[in-house]
Amino acid sequence: MLATRSILKTVAQNPNARALAFKNVAGVPMGVRHFNATSSTKAQSPAAETEILRQQRKVRPVSPHIAIYQPQITWYLSALHRITGAALGGALYLGSIGYLASGMAVDTASIVSAAAAAPVAVKVLAKTTLAFPFVFHSLNGVRHLVWDAKKCLDIKSVYTTAYVVLGGSVAGSLYLASL
Amino acid sequence: MATTEENKPEEKPQGESYEEREKRMKREERGYAFGANHWNLERASAVALVPLISTQFVYGAHPVVDGLLGVVLPYHIYMGFDSCITDYIPKRVYPRGYKAAMWALKISFGLTLWGCYEFNTNDVGMTEAIQRIWTA
């Protein structure tokens, strides 16, 4: 019998149902997930056993991975590279499709005047926020191409180039924000 | 018996067995030449972007650079999203989700190519537009 959630809920709300539903759980406390190996008299077809396995997998917890892995500049920068790339790429795709969808009615001049009217602090903040992903992704992209050329692959060079990229990104975005 | 939640085969009510599914996926696999070309094109588009973007920063806008950017940049982004979809919506686990995501990506790619072309033709061009908005 499958220990699906509906059956477990019924059993939790009605303890008498437990003895009826689960004939072999005499000494096991409620709340312990209980999957017996089926004996030969109760063995089921392969399809039904797959079904049990499928049900188990649906409720099985996933062991923590991202949350417990030691923070390292290697995978942090790799994640940041992907996130900045997806954000910038998504922005370009959505912007182009929006331009098409608006019937090519968006005029550059209108955006320019709207941008010029904003307060200076907002403008500098917006420019820094937009510049950093772009500069970081470009510099880290060059770092990837260097790896593809089979250079700087030992761990020391990986860390050195990582710091160069981070420093260059900060400097580059500050420079761009000042324009 | 490695079936997962999403992968309920539609052909027979019994469903195909594990071995049959593995054989079908092996038949539908793409060859090694495809993989090599995929890698080459990905790096080629990334390398091509380096001079395109740096000439913009140094010399300013130019219609030819804008036109090239309007092709190479969407293609580079397409390759990037392709990798993301392959990683997070794997075909083996979500066959229909993968197919839907890839089709959405391909259609977006086509529309973006068209949109960039229209913007470069009707309006001032991508580089000039960004320059104007940035220094406003």
Side-chain angles (χ1 to χ4, degrees), chain B:
Chain B
M1 301 293 171
T3 53
T4 53
E5 185 168 348
E6 264 253 348
N7 192 23
K8 293 295 239 177
E10 298 92 54
E11 309 129 56
K12 314 172 273 187
Q14 255 333 43
E16 4 166 52
S17 73
Y18 176 72
E19 294 83 13
E20 285 166 16
R21 177 164 164 261
E22 291 295 305
K23 280 207 196 103
R24 175 174 60 85
M25 290 188 74
K26 184 85 185 141
R27 258 184 285 125
E28 293 168 7
E29 230 176 52
R30 294 185 279 214
Y32 51 84
F34 173 82
N37 289 331
H38 187 278
W39 192 92
N40 289 339
L41 284 172
E42 204 179 359
R43 313 300 138 159
S45 61
V47 167
L49 279 175
V50 173
L52 280 176
I53 302 221
S54 25
T55 52
Q56 274 184 308
F57 272 109
V58 173
Y59 295 109
H62 189 285
V64 172
V65 176
D66 273 337
L68 282 175
L69 261 182
V71 173
V72 178
L73 195 53
Y75 183 69
H76 175 77
I77 298 172
Y78 168 81
M79 292 302 245
F81 276 131
D82 185 353
S83 303
C84 289
I85 293 177
T86 313
D87 284 343
Y88 303 130
I89 315 179
K91 192 170 170 189
R92 192 182 57 82
V93 180
Y94 305 111
R96 279 170 290 172
Y98 175 83
K99 205 168 170 189
M102 284 307 292
W103 270 112
L105 179 63
K106 285 172 183 160
I107 292 172
S108 309
F109 173 57
L111 288 175
T112 306
L113 281 176
W114 181 21
C116 287
Y117 167 75
E118 291 289 347
F119 189 79
N120 285 334
T121 317
N122 301 342
D123 217 319
V124 286
M126 287 162 44
T127 318
E128 185 65 29
I130 297 179
Q131 192 179 344
R132 286 190 192 173
I133 297 173
W134 200 266
T135 53

Side-chain angles (χ1 to χ4, degrees), chain A residues 1-18 21-22 30-33 59:
Chain A
M1 179 128 177
L2 297 174
T4 53
R5 287 205 192 282
S6 52
I7 296 174
L8 285 173
K9 199 160 72 162
T10 310
V11 168
Q13 287 161 1
N14 181 8
N16 297 330
R18 192 165 167 247
F22 303 103
M30 188 65 225
V32 172
R33 200 169 279 139
V59 298

Side-chain angles (χ1 to χ4, degrees), chain A residues 82 93 100 108 127 148 176, chain B residues 43 74 87-88 111 123 134:
Chain A
R82 178 163 272 197
Y93 270 31
L100 281 177
T108 316
K127 283 197 256 192
D148 289 329
L176 282 180
Chain B
R43 313 300 138 159
D87 284 343
Y88 303 130
L111 288 175
D123 217 319
W134 200 266

